[in-house]
Amino acid sequence: MSSNKFLKHEGPWSDANDPLMCSDTGGWRTKRPVVDKDNCIFCGFCAIYCPIQIMEMVENSHFSVDLRFCKGCGICAKECPKNAISMIAEGDFQK
Ligand code: SF4
Ligand code: SF4
């Protein structure tokens, strides 16, 4: 079975024949990272530290999050040297 059936993104460290951590998140995430692209210096730390490697480059200027797979762990926000990532409660997007 190909892991690409489930995964659009696969980190190099998780290069296995079966899905590891990078599976569809579903509806249980409580917070989501939101990138302030004007404050992003495109250093890539968020992409490096994201455990499931789902930060995406946008127009070679900033990163965004693939929310299908994001677990809301907040590591990207913690590692961002510019505090350009905010963890926002999911409930705030349902109003
Ligand atoms: S860690 Fe912060 S500044 Fe660096 S690319 Fe990610 S969002 Fe931008
Ligand atoms: S919150 Fe966690 S899973 Fe989601 S993009 Fe940031 S580091 Fe990756």
Side-chain angles (χ1 to χ4, degrees), residues 16 20 35 56 77 80 88 92:
L20 294 178
V35 179
E56 296 181 315
C80 175
I88 307 295
D92 290 353

Side-chain angles (χ1 to χ4, degrees), residues 29-91:
R29 186 180 56 231
T30 58
K31 290 185 176 181
R32 72 173 65 173
V34 175
V35 179
D36 175 3
K37 65 180 184 180
D38 293 331
N39 204 20
C40 174
I41 57 172
F42 203 49
C43 66
F45 281 10
C46 53
I48 292 169
Y49 282 102
C50 173
I52 51 176
Q53 300 284 287
I54 48 83
M55 300 295 296
E56 296 181 315
M57 280 192 288
V58 181
E59 298 168 354
N60 285 334
S61 67
H62 63 281
F63 281 84
S64 69
V65 179
D66 189 333
L67 291 171
R68 291 174 303 164
F69 302 114
C70 173
K71 306 298 184 264
C73 67
I75 291 173
C76 53
K78 186 81 174 175
E79 296 297 336
C80 175
K82 295 290 287 180
N83 292 323
I85 302 177
S86 301
M87 298 302 295
I88 307 295
E90 287 291 339

